[in-house]
Amino acid sequence: MASWGRRSSGMVHHIKALSKVELRGKAGAMKGGWWRYPVQPGVASALVPRSWPCVNTMASLFLVQRFKSSLPQKQVEDDDGDQDLDFPGGKVAYTSEMKFISGSYDKRIPCYRVLGDDGELIKDGSDFEKVNKELAVKMYSDMVCLQIMDTFMYEAQRQGRISFYMTSFGEEAATISSAAALTKDDIILPQYREPGALLWRGFTLQEFVNQCFGNKDDGGKGRQMPVHYGSSKHNFVTVSSPIATQLPQAAGMAYSLKMDKKDACVVAFIGDGGTSEGDFHAGLNFAAVMEAPVIFVCRNNGWAISTPTSDQFRSDGVVVKGQAYGIPSIRVDGTDALAVYRAIRAARSMAINEQRPVLVESLAYRVGHHSTSDDSTKYRSLNEIEHWKTDRDPVNKFRKWVELNGWWSERDEADLRSSIKKQLLKAIQVAEGTEKPPLTELFTDVYDLPPSNLVEQEKLLRQTVNKYPHDFPSDVSLH
Amino acid sequence: MLAIARQRMLGQSFKKILPAVSVLRSYSSAAKQITVREALNSALDEEMSADPKVFLMGEEVGEYQGAYKITKGLLEKYGPERVLDTPITEAGFTGIGVGAAYYGLKPVVEFMTFNFSMQAIDHIINSAAKSNYMSAGQISVPIVFRGPNGAAAGVGAQHSQCYAAWYASCPGLKVLSPYNSEDARGLLKAAIRDPDPVVFLENELLYGESFPVSDEVLDSSFCLPIGKAKIEREGKDVTITAFSKMAAEMLEKDGIYAEVINLRSIRPLDRSTINASVRKTNRLITVEEGFPQHGVGAEICASVVEESFSYLDAPVERIAGADVPMPYAANLERMAVPQVEDIVRAAKRACYRSVPLAATA
């Protein structure tokens, strides 16, 4: 009886011990330190807890049996018995626990901001590079200028004076602050909603308007549809309509800068929708592999025409995609001019000093329609638009901060707005009255030097126009 | 195609590749023989040496020495900064090449075959070809896209298409297609030096073929003009255009002296040489490997009809590949690509010899 009792308690003891072993085993497996495979290969191996030699007989009932199976190609054992997989691409620790990485973290990546909605600094005495009066006033003035230009040019399209336009409402800070954080040697590859950056760099209102009207003073010689600005003088690569093509191109340009060892980087803009393109993958992947100094700025404005981000991707926005490529990333409040400025400054420093790509996701709602060909009230609520337009306007927010610093007054505001309006009206008037590009520009720049067939065609065309002038529009200048 | 033709000419079987020596005897003078592969390799080497802005990109171009060994030795000589092995993304590395060209470098982008260039065609056409025009001359794109084009042997539909007609229809691009080693050297050098984007269509079957080259061709400054065709063989009875060389030898026997024009440049097309030749011979046959509809031959035909109609004594005939995706089986593949006999029959028809005009002849 006693012996039975002893045995049974012994049994209980063993069972308890085994259950502890099981639990510990799990923990051990995660750490990789508790279980070890027996040394003999090919033998039906059993997972044996190291520190329980007496358990062998009992354990056979409970142990996980591993049948004869192929061992991994190479097992590297560390001093403490840890085994790592030595695989192309680097060492990787093993685990006995099958665990899938979740598709998302518990908490979404937080959004960096500096200013509250009331224009006050969230953290007083922040340690960031102070934006001085001169810089702040220029940033603010350009944001106002962009807003007014957008308003007028949108109207102009509605009146039939230009064929097409795209506004940047809600994203003024995202683009202007980004440009303010760069130097003039940094090359910008836009998507199409970044005229703010070009404005910052000195493109004049007249130049913007000339491009939209496609007249002979347009730097683009009337080749491109409105808002497809480009200026090599300002290091702003001509806008190209197909989405995301500029991303691998940015990696290529950055690689060239790297080869030239320039103290400059490339900044490529893309929207939330553009991250679905194959070129997004290629651009980011390549930039990482080539260690190219490029900043990818994703203007996540919530909408790709009528496609909301919930239909665009199922990841936590765009910021988490950077890690998949080995690229440091940050999410920033795109309506906060100071936050964008600081983030881009830091990104630039990282990109150039460490010669690597950086991803910045800027969150700033697209207040306007996608373009003049779109009526966004058809797919989103007026309340939503109104909320972002009035309560979350980046221009208002920044003005509050600038005013709080005593750098701006209502008088300045009135003066600025009336001045811009006057300039803009004048620019539109002048642009409309300017001649369209001459006939020659139909044939130039196809190649570096005009080929013989085009020279001939131009000659023939001129002859025909001269012979039958009434068959041709009167604004085709032959000069 | 030429390799096949030459084998025919000397009565060899389809599969055997001829030693170069027997061919040499039918040519005069030339001291040295180099393969097309060597010609391309030496052209790349010399241009990279002369201009530090030139660099190569593509799959397997570096460590592997090139999928077809065209870039052999260049990684070793110029280092990984100038010979880049790219990941498998045609769209990606073409975009990168275009971006580098925007900046001012001179990339030479290799496609393993031009069939894969379709995955990058937006960058080639919408970015490379159109940027100079769209930017009003502010962005020039001095890039070269090169690689094997057209049918090889037994590689099936997705590895055998000819892209000459596709790229040549696009303004802003220049499209070249060399035949022999002299063409390969001269045209590749011209392409790399050219400030415009160039599509350089090589031929896999010709890489191993040797051709005699003069000392002038071997000189590092040698360059061929873009947009000029070459009259490979002068004749008087019928003009044959090709970006290959065919049949002339055979036709001599039957008393037909064909004038064979090696186009070399598909865009710009050397219309004046073609038309001058047709005005002399009064008959035209266009030969190409690619699909017949909207092909290179269609453009040549239209050009001749527009400019030299009254000189034509017979309808223009186009010899092209079969209007089917390329089959794999050797017998079917042979039926899908123009053979010398097809061209000979066409030439005879054009000269009113008694060969019936069969629809599928």
Side-chain angles (χ1 to χ4, degrees):
Chain A
M1 193 82 161
S3 63
W4 182 86
R6 260 203 308 277
R7 235 179 25 204
S8 68
S9 67
M11 175 78 78
V12 165
H13 170 76
H14 278 300
I15 291 171
K16 275 195 187 149
L18 275 170
S19 60
K20 275 195 211 143
V21 159
E22 296 255 338
L23 285 168
R24 219 176 283 159
K26 284 207 181 85
M30 268 167 47
K31 281 193 234 154
W34 280 87
W35 303 99
R36 76 185 287 172
Y37 298 116
V39 181
Q40 309 92 315
V43 171
S45 48
L47 292 170
V48 178
R50 281 190 289 170
S51 46
W52 297 84
C54 59
V55 135
N56 267 336
T57 44
M58 293 306 296
S60 58
L61 293 175
F62 298 92
L63 282 170
V64 174
Q65 283 274 329
R66 263 181 32 117
F67 294 98
K68 186 172 175 180
S69 60
S70 55
L71 292 170
Q73 283 287 64
K74 270 190 186 183
Q75 290 179 37
V76 178
E77 290 189 37
D78 295 335
D79 287 341
D80 63 352
D82 284 352
Q83 284 172 351
D84 289 332
L85 171 56
D86 192 10
F87 197 79
K91 264 201 233 173
V92 155
Y94 275 116
T95 171
S96 303
E97 183 180 329
M98 183 179 75
K99 188 169 188 290
F100 282 76
I101 306 174
S102 162
S104 53
Y105 297 116
D106 289 335
K107 291 177 75 179
R108 296 193 60 181
I109 303 291
C111 180
Y112 174 65
R113 68 167 177 172
V114 171
L115 292 177
D117 286 336
D118 52 3
E120 302 239 20
L121 288 172
I122 302 283
K123 266 169 80 178
D124 251 332
S126 306
D127 55 350
F128 68 99
E129 254 176 82
K130 293 279 186 206
V131 171
N132 65 13
K133 177 179 177 185
E134 196 189 327
L135 187 61
V137 166
K138 179 166 169 25
M139 276 165 70
Y140 178 70
S141 311
D142 280 357
M143 283 163 70
V144 172
C145 185
L146 178 58
Q147 251 186 3
I148 297 177
M149 177 173 84
D150 277 353
T151 312
F152 274 61
M153 295 309 285
Y154 187 90
E155 268 314 299
Q157 193 278 341
R158 281 286 175 262
Q159 293 166 12
R161 293 154 94 172
I162 55 175
S163 66
F164 178 83
Y165 194 74
M166 295 175 101
T167 59
S168 303
F169 297 133
E171 304 185 60
E172 298 88 345
T175 51
I176 289 174
S177 283
S178 294
L182 303 170
T183 70
K184 62 173 172 54
D185 293 326
D186 298 320
I187 305 170
I188 294 180
L189 279 132
Q191 177 61 72
Y192 47 56
R193 215 183 288 278
E194 298 86 13
L198 191 51
L199 180 66
W200 173 269
R201 286 192 166 180
F203 212 58
T204 64
L205 283 177
Q206 190 67 64
E207 286 174 305
F208 277 111
V209 177
N210 283 340
Q211 196 281 332
C212 289
F213 279 87
N215 60 34
K216 75 167 170 47
D217 290 332
D218 170 25
K221 296 184 193 169
R223 299 273 169 69
Q224 287 259 53
M225 57 190 286
V227 309
H228 286 57
Y229 313 110
S231 174
S232 56
K233 189 172 81 177
H234 298 99
N235 261 332
F236 189 89
V237 175
T238 309
V239 173
S240 172
S241 302
I243 304 286
T245 53
Q246 69 279 10
L247 299 181
Q249 290 166 5
M253 289 188 99
Y255 186 76
S256 314
L257 282 177
K258 184 186 167 89
M259 278 174 70
D260 274 2
K261 300 196 172 37
K262 278 247 166 87
D263 177 23
C265 67
V266 172
V267 179
F269 286 88
I270 186 73
D272 43 286
T275 65
S276 295
E277 282 279 359
D279 272 343
F280 175 79
H281 165 74
L284 266 69
N285 191 38
F286 256 105
V289 169
M290 298 196 306
E291 293 170 8
V294 51
I295 306 175
F296 294 105
V297 182
C298 175
R299 289 181 299 95
N300 182 346
N301 61 20
W303 295 92
I305 309 189
S306 69
T307 307
T309 49
S310 55
D311 285 347
Q312 197 69 249
F313 36 67
R314 286 300 158 89
S315 53
D316 172 16
V318 175
V319 64
V320 294
K321 295 181 201 268
Q323 197 172 45
Y325 300 104
I327 294 179
S329 333
I330 189 172
R331 167 174 278 157
V332 69
D333 180 355
T335 63
D336 180 344
L338 293 182
V340 172
Y341 179 83
R342 190 175 181 214
I344 300 288
R345 287 290 288 177
R348 181 180 187 277
S349 172
M350 232 189 294
I352 295 176
N353 296 334
E354 297 172 44
Q355 289 290 294
R356 69 184 309 177
V358 182
L359 172 64
V360 176
E361 179 186 16
S362 140
L363 302 182
Y365 190 87
R366 191 195 80 207
V367 170
H369 306 303
H370 164 70
S371 72
T372 48
S373 311
D374 174 47
D375 175 10
S376 62
T377 59
K378 291 267 188 316
Y379 51 80
R380 53 185 191 175
S381 78
L382 283 162
N383 286 339
E384 184 184 299
I385 304 173
E386 200 51 39
H387 167 70
W388 284 93
K389 186 171 173 178
T390 45
D391 302 335
R392 313 286 282 269
D393 179 31
V395 185
N396 285 340
K397 183 154 70 178
F398 195 51
R399 183 178 68 248
K400 286 179 191 158
W401 182 75
V402 178
E403 277 174 346
L404 279 169
N405 280 322
W407 295 337
W408 196 251
S409 68
E410 282 199 28
R411 184 63 198 276
D412 295 323
E413 182 75 14
D415 286 347
L416 177 69
R417 284 185 184 264
S418 80
S419 160
I420 292 172
K421 280 184 190 142
K422 245 201 285 225
Q423 285 179 56
L424 208 37
L425 283 169
K426 179 94 193 299
I428 293 175
Q429 195 185 37
V430 168
E432 238 177 348
T434 307
E435 261 187 337
K436 297 289 186 238
L439 189 63
T440 325
E441 302 300 2
L442 181 62
F443 298 102
T444 52
D445 303 319
V446 180
Y447 296 99
D448 186 53
L449 296 171
S452 57
N453 67 317
L454 287 185
V455 170
E456 203 185 300
Q457 272 185 47
E458 192 184 337
K459 203 173 81 182
L460 281 172
L461 186 54
R462 280 178 190 280
Q463 282 172 11
T464 313
V465 173
N466 276 324
K467 198 166 170 191
Y468 305 103
H470 42 271
D471 281 352
F472 292 90
S474 55
D475 62 357
V476 177
S477 161
L478 293 177
H479 304 297
Chain B
M1 265 186 84
L2 279 123
I4 302 166
R6 287 242 231 78
Q7 286 146 27
R8 286 273 145 56
M9 278 158 26
L10 296 162
Q12 299 288 328
S13 70
F14 184 90
K15 290 258 189 303
K16 260 205 218 162
I17 304 295
L18 292 169
V21 177
S22 50
V23 174
L24 178 59
R25 294 212 181 94
S26 55
Y27 297 91
S28 57
S29 70
K32 197 165 175 213
Q33 294 260 312
I34 59 170
T35 60
V36 170
R37 178 178 287 116
E38 285 162 351
L40 294 168
N41 184 278
S42 60
L44 289 170
D45 193 351
E46 287 161 22
E47 293 305 304
M48 284 180 81
S49 170
D51 186 347
K53 289 190 158 60
V54 177
F55 73 101
L56 310 183
M57 307 175 61
E59 294 153 3
E60 311 299 326
V61 296
E63 296 279 354
Y64 194 76
Q65 309 295 315
Y68 298 98
K69 306 289 181 267
I70 305 298
T71 51
K72 187 168 176 197
L74 296 177
L75 172 65
E76 201 177 40
K77 189 167 174 185
Y78 295 100
E81 285 209 332
R82 294 189 66 195
V83 180
L84 274 71
D85 273 323
T86 64
I88 308 179
T89 162
E90 277 71 17
F93 65 71
T94 306
I96 289 186
V98 170
Y102 281 178
Y103 180 82
L105 295 185
K106 293 185 177 177
V108 179
V109 176
E110 177 177 306
F111 291 114
M112 207 175 279
T113 85
F114 265 92
N115 295 272
F116 309 143
S117 74
M118 290 197 288
Q119 292 181 291
I121 204 164
D122 179 86
H123 280 290
I124 299 173
I125 310 255
N126 269 334
S127 293
K130 298 180 185 173
S131 278
N132 198 46
Y133 190 74
M134 291 195 316
S135 72
Q138 292 183 66
I139 300 175
S140 108
V141 193
I143 194 169
V144 175
F145 303 104
R146 52 159 292 272
N149 175 59
V155 288
Q158 293 172 332
H159 292 73
S160 306
Q161 189 167 336
C162 174
Y163 290 86
W166 280 38
Y167 289 118
S169 73
C170 186
L173 286 180
K174 290 182 176 162
V175 181
L176 305 176
S177 189
Y179 153 51
N180 58 16
S181 302
E182 178 181 329
D183 288 358
R185 259 183 73 79
L187 292 178
L188 186 54
K189 279 164 161 296
I192 294 173
R193 295 177 199 178
D194 198 290
D196 295 311
V198 180
V199 171
F200 193 80
L201 305 171
E202 301 159 5
N203 187 304
E204 189 199 326
L205 295 174
L206 289 175
Y207 284 151
E209 289 290 312
S210 281
F211 296 89
V213 285
S214 66
D215 288 334
E216 190 201 339
V217 172
L218 292 170
D219 186 70
S220 66
S221 64
F222 176 67
C223 202
L224 284 174
I226 292 179
K228 287 297 301 166
K230 182 176 179 205
I231 300 188
E232 289 286 346
R233 167 164 236 85
E234 285 199 23
K236 61 177 182 60
D237 290 326
V238 57
T239 300
I240 301 180
T241 62
F243 28 118
S244 67
K245 178 178 174 174
M246 303 290 284
E249 315 283 350
M250 284 188 70
L251 292 175
E252 263 193 60
K253 289 188 228 159
D254 295 303
I256 298 178
Y257 293 86
E259 179 150 292
V260 180
I261 300 181
N262 173 11
L263 293 173
R264 283 180 167 175
S265 176
I266 317 296
R267 177 185 261 270
L269 197 56
D270 191 353
R271 294 163 209 274
S272 47
T273 299
I274 297 167
N275 277 282
S277 173
V278 171
R279 289 176 187 211
K280 186 172 83 173
T281 65
N282 310 125
R283 293 157 216 279
L284 173 65
I285 297 167
T286 68
V287 180
E288 65 195 294
E289 251 187 344
F291 300 135
Q293 189 166 342
H294 308 298
V296 177
E299 177 62 32
I300 294 174
C301 176
S303 170
V304 164
V305 162
E306 284 163 8
E307 295 180 42
S308 313
F309 182 67
S310 47
Y311 291 83
L312 285 170
D313 285 347
V316 176
E317 267 200 64
R318 297 175 292 164
I319 305 289
D323 201 18
V324 300
M326 183 71 71
Y328 165 74
N331 61 330
L332 296 180
E333 186 185 43
R334 190 182 178 286
M335 297 300 292
V337 175
Q339 302 297 322
V340 171
E341 293 83 6
D342 301 315
I343 301 165
V344 170
R345 275 195 302 270
K348 288 181 176 173
R349 277 195 299 273
C351 299
Y352 301 123
R353 298 308 165 93
S354 57
V355 175
L357 178 67
T360 52

